[in-house]
Amino acid sequence: MRPTILGRVFLTISTTGTPERPATDLGFLLHKHPDRAQAFSTAHGTAHVFYPEASAERCTAALLLEVDPVALVRRGRGKGRGGAPDAALAQYVNDRPYAASSLLSVAMSTVFKSALRGVCAALPERAAAPLPLRIEVPAVAARGGVELVRRLFAPLGWTSVEAEPIPLDEQFPGWGDSRYVRLALEGELRLADALRQLYVLLPVMDDAKHYWVATDEVDKLLRAGEGWLADHPEQKLITSRYLSRRWGLTRQAMERLELVRLAETDDLAVEDVDNAVDETTDTEERPVPLAEQRREAILAALRQSGAQRVLDLGCGQGQLVQALLKDVTFTEIVGVDVSVRALTVAGRRLRLDRLGERQASRVSLMQGSLTYTDKRIAGYDAAVLSEVIEHLDLPRLPALEYAVFGAARPRTVLVTTPNVEYNVRWESLPAGHTRHGDHRFEWTRAEFRDWALAVAGRHGYTVGFTPVGPDDPEVGPPTQMAVFEKAGPDGPDDPRGTAEGAAPHTHPTPHTSEKEATAA
């Protein structure tokens, strides 16, 4: 039997009162009796609620989370990255069981579920009114330091935000401060509001979550952020970090927050916001997502080219492969990506293990880098590079160009990439930022056109350009697509590489970045 090794995470909530409104009302609001210590089982350990002090004048509730780091790792299958012993050990020896993080947020949502919703049948007026509160957390991971903590909490109505850096070792002050702070908040707020803020901001300060962030996290964020997140000056940072920097989810959340803000500004009913997001009317159609418009444009171009055997290069999680599989025009579909993880997700999306024999014979997934020449991808009718090139460093583009246009040489090549000029039309995208954190560049229409024409000239292709999405008269479409068609049959007299300034046909330098060919 293994020994129990527990890490302890601590949170206290204090309030003051009078004989008419005793501080022990806190017990009613939290739905936890001050005279009893209670324990609650969570997915990663045991949460204890007890009251170090409970009188009419002052009451303090404490939440102590005992985390079992071994169980935490085993719940996550306990595999070190790459199987390295040091990596595996790092999963057991880290700060998660000892510092406030998403683990504490999840425990709060389990133990204080009714309090987070502001529900108290015994004292509804107390639940709806501000209380004098002091909340303390002895150790909080804060990537961004004291200044970030103050930027997060100061706009929320707290009269005092104390964030004291914790030294790496008090015996050796020269080592400096750690990335942890002691946090203390004071002010008059509704208890539910204070708990919701902590629920969101603890993992935001840590900039990490201990669980996979799925689409339902957007709804959780908007529920917990109701009444304060839509107008917070750090809204984008909070949203991005809470959703683990998943750009698609972040954009969705920010668009919904903008609707909430507009509803508050224009005195619209909440139902109007819900209808604007989730429903269609007889007079206004629901806008088609850009990703869907892009797939439809690609499918139309492939059908027009007459292609039957198609490569999706940088297939990511398999959305385009799935769309291709639904069209019997395409007799062979191959998804290629450098990320094994993305291919695993794509396999689940396509349900490869459940496909019938005929369907299974039409589709395959394989791992490969697009900056290597690869005989497996030679000889296909068409290849698609959808939102791929912008994930490569610019010096690596010639390697991809040669691998696709010089070596594989499909008859048709489709390349889509963001049009940076259109970014000014995204209200939620700050000036100077790219659409995705991994984009190494985003091109104007002129820059993309110059690159595509040069590639076509070097490798014996013609190229045309197609807008994808609404074609704005000033800034163009959100996505630009180049359609390359081979100018002549392959053979000794093929004109590839003969244009002035053509790159020599040498094997490209290997490049092993896991993100280089993963679509946004």
Side-chain angles (χ1 to χ4, degrees):
M1 182 175 179
R2 64 177 174 83
T4 301
I5 306 172
L6 296 176
R8 290 176 172 83
V9 185
F10 205 59
L11 164 73
T12 60
I13 305 169
S14 302
T15 188
T16 56
T18 64
E20 294 77 23
R21 290 181 174 271
T24 49
D25 285 352
L26 182 63
F28 287 100
L29 303 182
L30 292 173
H31 298 263
K32 304 293 178 288
H33 201 290
D35 293 341
R36 293 199 301 269
Q38 301 178 58
F40 304 86
S41 177
T42 73
H44 303 97
T46 303
H48 302 269
V49 178
F50 56 95
Y51 289 76
E53 56 182 337
S55 67
E57 294 76 27
R58 184 176 176 84
C59 185
T60 298
L63 173 62
L64 173 64
L65 177 61
E66 290 189 308
V67 181
D68 183 345
V70 177
L72 178 64
V73 172
R74 288 185 173 177
R75 185 175 176 85
R77 297 187 176 90
K79 296 178 181 178
R81 179 169 294 182
D86 289 345
L89 179 62
Q91 297 189 71
Y92 292 87
V93 185
N94 60 61
D95 66 339
R96 286 181 297 178
Y98 309 98
S101 63
S102 60
L103 290 168
L104 186 58
S105 288
V106 172
M108 288 171 55
S109 68
T110 302
V111 176
F112 297 143
K113 185 175 182 179
S114 296
L116 276 159
R117 291 188 289 120
V119 174
C120 181
L123 296 173
E125 74 285 352
R126 289 286 269 165
L131 298 176
L133 294 173
R134 181 176 174 86
I135 295 178
E136 298 181 68
V137 188
V140 181
R143 297 179 188 271
V146 170
E147 179 58 32
L148 173 66
V149 176
R150 290 177 179 147
R151 280 164 37 208
L152 293 176
F153 285 100
L156 298 176
W158 297 97
T159 55
S160 173
V161 178
E162 302 171 22
E164 179 186 354
I166 298 175
L168 282 170
D169 192 317
E170 293 181 354
Q171 302 300 316
F172 300 93
W175 289 2
D177 294 329
S178 68
R179 65 182 184 91
Y180 307 98
V181 299
R182 295 183 183 92
L183 176 65
L185 306 169
E186 281 193 13
E188 290 203 4
L189 282 80
R190 291 175 62 241
L191 178 63
D193 293 337
L195 293 176
R196 288 172 185 167
Q197 293 168 15
L198 285 170
Y199 174 81
V200 172
L201 296 180
L202 286 174
V204 167
M205 287 186 287
D206 189 21
D207 197 13
K209 284 196 170 182
H210 69 278
Y211 59 89
W212 172 251
V213 173
T215 53
D216 61 343
E217 291 294 306
V218 175
D219 293 326
K220 293 180 185 178
L221 173 63
L222 267 61
R223 284 196 298 269
E226 183 179 355
W228 62 272
L229 183 54
D231 295 317
H232 198 292
E234 297 294 339
Q235 180 200 100
K236 183 178 181 183
L237 180 143
I238 293 169
T239 304
S240 175
R241 285 192 174 195
Y242 182 87
L243 296 170
S244 297
R245 302 181 186 274
R246 295 187 62 186
W247 171 241
L249 296 183
T250 301
R251 183 169 58 188
Q252 178 186 342
M254 293 191 67
E255 288 173 350
R256 290 174 62 180
L257 285 167
E258 178 66 11
L259 287 171
V260 170
R261 190 188 65 78
L262 291 174
E264 293 172 349
T265 302
D266 299 336
D267 295 325
L268 298 175
V270 173
E271 291 80 8
D272 295 332
V273 177
D274 292 338
N275 290 340
V277 176
D278 296 326
E279 299 178 4
T280 58
T281 67
D282 293 336
T283 59
E284 183 176 355
E285 295 184 357
R286 184 176 181 176
V288 179
L290 179 59
E292 187 175 333
Q293 295 182 58
R294 188 163 50 237
R295 283 193 293 273
E296 287 302 320
I298 290 169
L299 290 170
L302 288 173
R303 294 185 188 111
Q304 186 173 355
S305 75
Q308 293 182 315
R309 302 174 65 239
V310 179
L311 297 165
D312 183 6
L313 302 178
C315 66
Q317 298 181 2
Q319 292 93 332
L320 178 59
V321 173
Q322 186 178 43
L324 290 165
L325 192 58
K326 293 177 181 178
D327 190 332
V328 295
T329 302
F330 307 111
T331 58
E332 184 179 354
I333 305 149
V334 179
V336 182
D337 204 281
V338 73
S339 169
V340 174
R341 180 179 179 182
L343 292 172
T344 301
V345 175
R348 289 199 296 264
R349 177 189 296 276
L350 298 169
R351 298 183 178 180
L352 293 179
D353 57 337
R354 301 182 187 179
L355 290 178
E357 183 177 350
R358 180 175 297 180
Q359 285 287 78
S361 67
R362 294 175 56 216
V363 62
S364 60
L365 301 174
M366 63 186 187
Q367 194 270 342
S369 170
L370 301 186
T371 54
Y372 286 95
T373 57
D374 190 337
K375 294 180 180 179
R376 297 176 298 171
I377 65 173
Y380 281 80
D381 297 335
V384 179
L385 292 154
S386 179
E387 310 300 283
V388 170
I389 60 172
E390 65 272 11
H391 288 268
L392 275 72
D393 293 321
L394 282 169
R396 303 305 305 151
L397 275 184
L400 176 141
E401 174 191 329
Y402 177 72
V404 175
F405 294 91
R409 294 192 59 75
R411 189 176 71 238
T412 301
V413 182
L414 308 181
V415 180
T416 75
T417 192
N419 168 23
V420 71
E421 296 168 85
Y422 193 88
N423 287 0
V424 297
R425 297 292 187 255
W426 300 115
E427 294 183 3
S428 58
L429 186 63
H433 284 63
T434 58
R435 298 185 198 177
H436 188 281
D438 187 53
H439 285 186
R440 312 304 170 86
F441 63 89
E442 288 178 359
W443 274 334
T444 64
R445 288 168 290 173
E447 289 170 329
F448 181 53
R449 188 180 187 87
D450 289 346
W451 174 81
L453 288 170
V455 169
R458 283 192 288 267
H459 298 284
Y461 283 79
T462 61
V463 61
F465 301 89
T466 302
V468 179
D471 197 354
D472 188 287
E474 295 181 2
V475 297
T479 296
Q480 43 193 341
M481 179 166 71
V483 181
F484 296 84
E485 295 287 350
K486 196 186 298 182
D490 282 324
D493 299 324
D494 186 36
R496 61 180 170 177
T498 59
E500 184 178 354
H505 291 176
T506 56
H507 192 283
T509 304
H511 180 61
T512 57
S513 169
E514 188 166 290
K515 297 179 179 178
E516 63 187 2
T518 303

